[in-house]
């Protein structure tokens, strides 16, 4: 629309290198942002309406800001709408509710982007954290980065209804160039670790296939881990999350657990140790060991957590056979979506060729392959 007050913003997506399905179990995770994400253009109005439109869907939300729905509508705009609803209610705590000036004005927001949606690259956290950032900047709401992340989390959990952990909005909201994020999901502390992007390359290969029931399967995994924790916590005084359960305790009581629950718990407990070991390798510059941990993570997600797919496994196996590829695993929740490959710089064309051939032989088409250099958190663009 017309008007000089338009401003534009960008928020990245992310891949998670280690710590698969650990965030909602209180474990450590190691994500990094990628330089693809969500573009957000904001223009204030003067009639108190909110209009949300996007370049990838016909559906437009257009209603008075004072008449926000209280739960999800089923449309793509549930994500930004959830953020607006969170900010309006003063969620997360400590952030002040949107003032009446904001409510009386209203705004138009146009969303676009270059992240595949629902492919495990955190398109949802990108749009949610980006929306919080764009509204904060446009209306001088005075939020800090943690409050913007909190609003994004509130939108996904309370409004959209996915029981997700904290990794994705933190990975998007706190990303720094040439660094990976070490986030301890038990106490929510985090630090940035350097990654030499001149010598390594992060590849993303998209299966283009997403299991229809992925959201339900994700929530089921969350519930299975909760059940594992409830069964094991009496044996570990002071334990507050599944991450606190030692492997010996699981092994002593494994036969008492439902076999599916036991497999989920084993993945989580071993993945915690693997993620700490991978961090130590990264800090020593040992990218081979770091990559090997990623490959082990994939095997565990495939066999114990059962969240891989045949297409993901074909890509991971093909990628790992390329000289110079140190690791590969599904990224995000799994059940389809993308593989992230961790490779030495210079082997990008080999990955594209070998993985493309393997996938084409099996499925008759070549998957999109892209390489990334990391990125920083949400910002205004011109
Ligand atoms: C999804 C969720 C994250 C995390 C990953 C699995 O991306 O949104 O919170 O649980 O799956 O590691």
């Amino acid at each position: 629309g017309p008007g000089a007050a338009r401003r534009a913003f960008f928020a990245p997506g992310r891949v998670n290198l280690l710590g698969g399905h650990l965030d909602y179990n209180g474990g450590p995770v190691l994500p990094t942002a990628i330089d693809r994400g969500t573009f957000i253009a904001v223009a204030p109005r003067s009639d108190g309406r909110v209009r949300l439109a996007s370049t990838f869907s016909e559906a437009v939300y257009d209603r008075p800001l004072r008449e926000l729905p209280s739960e999800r509508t089923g449309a793509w705009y549930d994500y930004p709408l959830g953020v607006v609803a969170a900010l309006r209610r003063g969620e997360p705590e400590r952030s002040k509710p949107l003032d009446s000036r904001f409510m009386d004005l209203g705004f138009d927001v146009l969303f676009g982007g270059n992240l595949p949606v629902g492919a495990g690259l955190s398109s949802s956290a990108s749009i949610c954290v980006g929306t919080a950032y764009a509204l904060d900047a446009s209306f001088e709401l005075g939020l800090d980065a943690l409050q913007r992340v909190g609003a994004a989390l509130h939108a996904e959990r309370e409004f959209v209804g996915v029981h997700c952990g904290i990794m994705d909005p933190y990975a998007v909201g706190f990303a720094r160039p040439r660094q990976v994020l070490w986030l301890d999901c038990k106490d929510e502390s985090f630090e940035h670790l350097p990654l030499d992007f001149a010598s390594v390359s992060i590849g993303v290969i998209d299966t283009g296939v997403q299991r229809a029931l992925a959201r339900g399967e994700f929530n089921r995994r969350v519930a299975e881990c909760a059940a594992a924790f409830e069964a094991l916590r009496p044996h570990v005084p002071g334990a507050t999350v599944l991450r606190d359960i030692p492997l010996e305790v699981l092994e002593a009581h494994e036969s008492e657990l439902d076999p599916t629950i036991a497999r989920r718990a084993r993945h989580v407990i071993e993945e915690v140790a693997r993620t700490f070991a991978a961090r130590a390798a990264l800090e020593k510059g040992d990218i081979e060991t770091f990559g090997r941990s990623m490959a082990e993570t994939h095997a565990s997600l495939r066999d114990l957590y059962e969240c891989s797919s045949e297409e993901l496994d074909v890509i991971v196996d093909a990628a790992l056979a390329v000289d110079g590829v140190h690791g590969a695993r599904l990224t995000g929740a799994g059940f389809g979506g993308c593989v992230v490959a961790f490779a030495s710089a210079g082997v990008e064309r080999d990955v594209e060729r070998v993985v493309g051939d393997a996938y084409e032989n099996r499925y008759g088409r070549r998957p999109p392959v892209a390489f990334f250099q990391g990125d920083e958190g949400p910002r205004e663009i011109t």
Side-chain angles (χ1 to χ4, degrees), residues 38-39 47 74 96-97 130 153 210 220 247 262 296 303 326 371:
T38 311
F39 297 94
D47 59 0
K96 49 182 190 319
L153 211 45
Q210 189 68 34
R220 193 201 313 273
L247 187 58
E296 287 166 15
D303 301 336
H326 307 297
F371 287 87

Side-chain angles (χ1 to χ4, degrees), residues 14 16 19-24 164-165 167-168 218 332-333:
R14 67 96 190 87
N16 51 329
H21 286 271
L22 288 193
D23 57 352
Y24 54 86
C164 60
M167 174 174 69
D168 300 346
F218 180 84

Side-chain angles (χ1 to χ4, degrees), residues 14 16 19-24 29 120 122 124 156 162-169 218 222 301 329 331-334:
R14 67 96 190 87
N16 51 329
H21 286 271
L22 288 193
D23 57 352
Y24 54 86
V29 295
S122 236
S124 55
E156 267 205 81
V162 178
H163 306 155
C164 60
I166 65 170
M167 174 174 69
D168 300 346
F218 180 84
V222 176
L301 291 171
R329 52 159 292 201
T331 181

Side-chain angles (χ1 to χ4, degrees), residues 80-200:
L81 211 48
V83 173
V84 176
L87 294 176
R88 188 185 165 185
R89 293 230 306 270
E91 296 283 357
E93 277 174 56
R94 297 192 294 118
S95 70
K96 49 182 190 319
L98 294 180
D99 60 26
S100 60
R101 181 184 58 93
F102 180 88
M103 301 296 289
D104 291 340
L105 283 176
F107 47 89
D108 287 342
V109 193
L110 176 66
F111 296 90
N114 52 7
L115 264 185
V117 172
L121 301 179
S122 236
S123 53
S124 55
S126 177
I127 195 171
C128 288
V129 176
T131 300
Y133 188 92
L135 294 179
D136 183 24
S138 301
F139 293 94
E140 293 167 359
L141 303 178
L143 303 179
D144 61 30
L146 199 57
Q147 289 170 328
R148 294 191 292 265
V149 163
L153 211 45
H154 196 269
E156 267 205 81
R157 285 179 175 165
E158 310 303 326
F159 196 85
V160 180
V162 178
H163 306 155
C164 60
I166 65 170
M167 174 174 69
D168 300 346
Y170 273 81
V172 170
F174 291 105
R176 283 196 194 154
R178 292 177 298 286
Q179 301 190 334
V180 295
L181 188 74
W182 173 269
L183 170 64
D184 189 315
C185 301
K186 186 172 173 186
D187 63 8
E188 306 192 8
S189 62
F190 61 87
E191 57 191 298
H192 295 88
L193 307 177
L195 180 64
D196 180 12
F197 277 98
S199 64
V200 304

Side-chain angles (χ1 to χ4, degrees), residues 193-269:
L193 307 177
L195 180 64
D196 180 12
F197 277 98
S199 64
V200 304
S201 200
I202 292 181
V204 172
I205 306 125
D206 190 353
T207 63
V209 182
Q210 189 68 34
R211 207 186 292 171
L213 294 173
R215 182 184 294 172
E217 286 291 335
F218 180 84
N219 286 347
R220 193 201 313 273
R221 294 299 178 282
V222 176
E224 287 165 346
C225 289
F229 179 59
E230 282 315 310
L232 296 168
R233 76 186 300 182
H235 310 294
V236 186
T240 57
V241 282
L242 188 52
R243 173 255 184 97
D244 294 333
I245 307 292
L247 187 58
E248 309 80 74
V249 172
L250 170 65
E251 290 182 336
H253 299 279
E254 213 158 9
S255 58
E256 302 155 26
L257 300 179
D258 170 275
T260 302
I261 304 288
R263 282 198 300 282
R264 309 298 188 245
R266 182 171 277 276
H267 163 75
V268 168
I269 292 167

